[in-house]
């Protein structure tokens, strides 16, 4: 089997296959015959490279099973070009799965749903309303175009002492025998209650507001000295470096980026000890530590974003390279 995946921690090849709640190291991927597809610097799959990998696999007698595209990567919030990937999957008869755990909720926004154009052509989609929509944890869904009762065919144990086949109602409503763990919480109730309370328009406003806050924050960063975007956000993930005054103007020195990589941990320690903010940072491939601010809370105001920038400046202003 061949699984093409574009989840990346580098600008070139994906060293990990990440699936909702699961992380496979490269050695495991090799044992499971998973293949990696070249990506752009943002982490978006290159469709031509996908087609090349599928053709190469088929030439070796391997049967490609599934392509995993992504709508909203964890770090950069990147969205794959689903129409192009869907064309390739249809051409070769390969199952297309879209990991939209993070970005799938954007479909609710009429203004921003273009980011997921083509997702209707997927065979399956993973979606986590507990992320961008902020439904109560945990609330996750696997959406299938299949109408052959695939989940039951895969997982059913047909335990008659639990699921009697001769009930007076349609037994297809007994979902327990369709899930891997049998008994589980009713995740969809959390989504239903929130949707009932806020409405479609209210959920749409949450998404649109998140994008508006993101644009405001990015524009403010561009006006302030010391803030440098890792890249322009495609979604609501704002990745950036803060360059303190002690490092400005030294971009050409050999240890510049090494010192920049120490700034985020320095500021993070201070903000946690002060108790003022909680903001994550990470490395990504060859890129040194940078902050990742994700704006999804409907309670965030512009004043909060101004405070965020002011606090980063205050906590990092006296950073000195070793």
């Amino acid at each position: 089997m061949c699984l093409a995946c574009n989840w990346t921690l580098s600008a070139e090849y994906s060293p990990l296959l990440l699936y909702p709640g699961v992380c496979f190291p490269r050695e495991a991927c090799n044992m499971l015959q998973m293949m990696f597809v070249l990506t752009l610097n943002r982490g978006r799959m290159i469709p031509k490279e996908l087609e090349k990998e599928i053709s190469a696999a088929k030439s070796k007698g391997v049967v490609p099973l599934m392509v995993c595209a992504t709508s909203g990567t964890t770090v950069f919030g990147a969205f794959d070009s689903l129409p192009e990937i869907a064309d390739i999957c249809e051409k070769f008869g390969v199952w297309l799965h879209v990991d939209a755990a993070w970005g799938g909720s954007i479909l609710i926004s009429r203004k921003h749903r273009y980011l997921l154009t083509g997702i209707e052509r997927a065979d399956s989609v993973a979606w986590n309303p507990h992320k961008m929509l902020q439904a109560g944890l945990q609330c996750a869904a696997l959406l299938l175009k299949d109408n052959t009762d695939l989940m039951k065919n895969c997982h059913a144990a047909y335990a008659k002492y639990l699921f009697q086949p001769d009930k007076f109602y349609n037994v297809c409503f007994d979902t327990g025998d369709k899930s891997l763990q049998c008994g589980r919480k009713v995740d969809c109730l959390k989504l239903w209650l929130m949707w009932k309370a806020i409405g479609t328009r209210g959920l749409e406003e949450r998404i649109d507001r998140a994008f508006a806050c993101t644009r405001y924050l990015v524009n403010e960063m561009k006006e302030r000295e010391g803030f440098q975007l890792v890249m322009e956000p495609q979604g609501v993930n704002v990745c950036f470096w803060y360059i303190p005054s002690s490092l400005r103007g030294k971009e050409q020195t050999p240890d510049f980026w090494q010192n920049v990589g120490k700034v985020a941990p320095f500021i993070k320690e201070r903000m946690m000890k002060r108790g003022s903010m909680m903001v994550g940072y990470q490395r990504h491939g060859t890129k040194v530590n940078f902050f990742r601010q994700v704006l999804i809370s409907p309670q965030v105001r512009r004043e909060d974003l101004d405070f965020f920038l002011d606090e980063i400046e205050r906590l990092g202003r006296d950073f000195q390279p070793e």
Side-chain angles (χ1 to χ4, degrees):
M1 110 180 160
C2 166
L3 176 58
C5 176
N6 77 318
W7 281 81
T8 60
L9 291 181
S10 72
E12 294 185 350
Y13 288 96
S14 165
L16 296 175
L17 169 62
L18 294 125
Y19 210 65
V22 182
C23 186
F24 296 99
R26 180 176 285 277
E27 292 76 12
C29 293
N30 291 339
M31 287 190 292
L32 293 171
Q33 296 180 301
M34 298 178 183
M35 301 180 68
F36 301 93
V37 179
L38 196 67
T39 64
L40 297 170
N41 197 40
R42 183 185 291 275
R44 300 180 69 202
M45 187 188 298
I46 302 174
K48 289 184 178 179
E49 293 295 325
L50 171 63
E51 187 167 9
K52 184 192 301 183
E53 291 291 347
I54 292 177
S55 297
K58 290 177 72 70
S59 69
K60 298 175 184 177
V62 177
V63 179
L65 171 65
M66 184 181 79
V67 170
C68 182
T70 309
S71 290
T73 57
T74 303
V75 178
F76 291 139
F79 291 77
D80 280 332
S81 177
L82 299 181
E84 293 179 89
I85 294 173
D87 287 343
I88 295 169
C89 289
E90 288 182 7
K91 176 180 177 180
F92 290 99
V94 179
W95 184 284
L96 173 58
H97 174 74
V98 177
D99 185 340
W102 171 230
S105 298
I106 295 174
L107 277 173
I108 296 174
S109 168
R110 288 167 291 182
K111 184 177 180 179
H112 300 287
R113 64 175 54 153
Y114 68 88
L115 289 168
L116 293 103
T117 298
I119 198 170
E120 72 280 357
R121 298 172 63 185
D123 297 291
S124 57
V125 175
W127 174 42
N128 287 0
H130 69 246
K131 293 183 177 177
M132 192 171 292
L133 287 184
Q134 296 199 298
L137 276 168
Q138 174 164 340
C139 185
L142 174 63
L143 309 176
L144 294 167
K145 186 179 293 183
D146 176 88
N147 60 4
T148 63
D149 218 357
L150 179 64
M151 297 299 289
K152 189 166 185 176
N153 291 334
C154 290
H155 302 307
Y158 299 102
K160 294 182 180 179
Y161 59 91
L162 289 176
F163 308 106
Q164 295 77 24
D166 54 352
K167 292 178 180 177
F168 70 92
Y169 57 81
N170 189 339
V171 294
C172 73
F173 293 115
D174 290 339
T175 59
D177 215 18
K178 296 180 181 180
S179 62
L180 183 62
Q181 69 271 51
C182 187
R184 58 175 295 169
K185 297 177 182 177
V186 188
D187 285 352
C188 61
L189 182 61
K190 304 167 190 174
L191 175 61
W192 184 86
L193 288 171
M194 182 179 68
W195 209 323
K196 193 74 172 175
I198 300 174
T200 301
R201 184 60 58 85
L203 294 178
E204 181 181 27
E205 289 174 356
R206 282 191 176 187
I207 301 299
D208 290 345
R209 193 171 186 278
F211 274 86
C213 286
T214 298
R215 183 44 45 194
Y216 175 81
L217 183 64
V218 168
N219 289 340
E220 286 296 305
M221 284 182 175
K222 291 178 179 179
E223 296 296 321
R224 297 196 185 206
E225 190 176 11
F227 289 91
Q228 181 176 329
L229 291 172
V230 177
M231 60 183 65
E232 283 285 338
Q234 192 179 9
V236 296
N237 297 33
V238 182
C239 299
F240 68 94
W241 290 288
Y242 178 68
I243 314 296
S245 57
S246 61
L247 297 178
R248 295 171 199 165
K250 300 180 180 179
E251 289 79 3
Q252 304 306 317
T253 58
D255 57 352
F256 173 76
W257 284 109
Q258 180 181 351
N259 287 323
V260 170
K262 298 175 182 177
V263 175
F266 175 84
I267 294 177
K268 174 74 172 183
E269 179 182 352
R270 286 188 163 191
M271 74 170 66
M272 292 191 70
K273 289 180 176 179
R274 179 178 172 84
S276 58
M277 300 190 301
M278 287 286 285
V279 184
Y281 71 86
Q282 67 279 305
R283 297 170 179 162
H284 193 286
T286 59
K287 294 178 175 62
V288 299
N289 287 320
F290 55 85
F291 285 110
R292 174 167 56 100
Q293 176 64 288
V294 181
L295 298 163
I296 57 173
S297 172
Q299 297 177 323
V300 170
R301 304 164 300 166
R302 288 190 173 186
E303 293 84 355
D304 299 317
L305 300 178
D306 293 336
F307 170 80
F308 167 72
L309 296 175
D310 292 341
E311 186 72 350
I312 291 288
E313 289 177 328
R314 191 191 70 78
L315 296 174
R317 67 167 54 122
D318 60 346
F319 172 87
Q320 293 294 330
E322 296 178 359

